[in-house]
Amino acid sequence: MVNAGNANCATGAAGPRRAQRTLAEAAKRLGCAPQEMFVCSTGVIGVPLPLEKILRALPVIVRHRRPSARSFAETSLAICTTDTRPKTAAASFKMAGNGFISSAAPRARG
């Protein structure tokens, strides 16, 4: 679960509760367990996660999700915030005769 524009940190006990609620709702709509997901937030520090806004958007997000290179590129652009360009990485490997691809859109501050 990725959101940009809100770091959801320095928000007290409500921050983790809001993050867990978004995971629970997203997992339910995606047909998986919340433990199979994690939250990635970037943006303004100290501002509460806009829980209701995210919950309202989830049905549309789930309905229009696509496992594509374009979706990955759009996600990496969305989390840029103050970065000047997206950062991405990918690797492929075989394990037990099966092929896997792992990709990431890391966000680094320094």
Side-chain angles (χ1 to χ4, degrees):
M1 184 81 183
V2 177
N3 73 281
N6 183 298
N8 194 39
C9 64
T11 56
R17 281 196 307 270
R18 289 170 183 245
Q20 291 302 318
R21 176 82 189 280
T22 62
L23 282 182
E25 292 295 322
K28 181 171 65 174
R29 293 183 179 281
L30 292 168
C32 65
Q35 298 84 354
E36 296 176 88
M37 302 176 67
F38 57 92
V39 176
C40 299
S41 300
T42 183
V44 181
I45 295 171
V47 177
L49 192 67
L51 180 62
E52 295 306 320
K53 182 178 180 181
I54 292 170
L55 295 180
R56 281 192 309 272
L58 276 175
V60 175
I61 293 167
V62 169
R63 189 168 47 253
H64 290 92
R65 77 186 190 287
R66 300 289 181 267
S68 67
R70 179 179 177 168
S71 293
F72 180 73
E74 289 171 351
T75 300
S76 66
L77 283 170
I79 64 170
C80 277
T81 60
T82 58
D83 290 334
T84 58
R85 61 183 172 76
K87 298 165 188 78
T88 59
S92 61
F93 59 95
K94 284 194 173 213
M95 182 169 49
N98 296 308
F100 296 90
I101 298 174
S102 176
S103 14
R107 168 98 170 79
R109 298 285 303 206

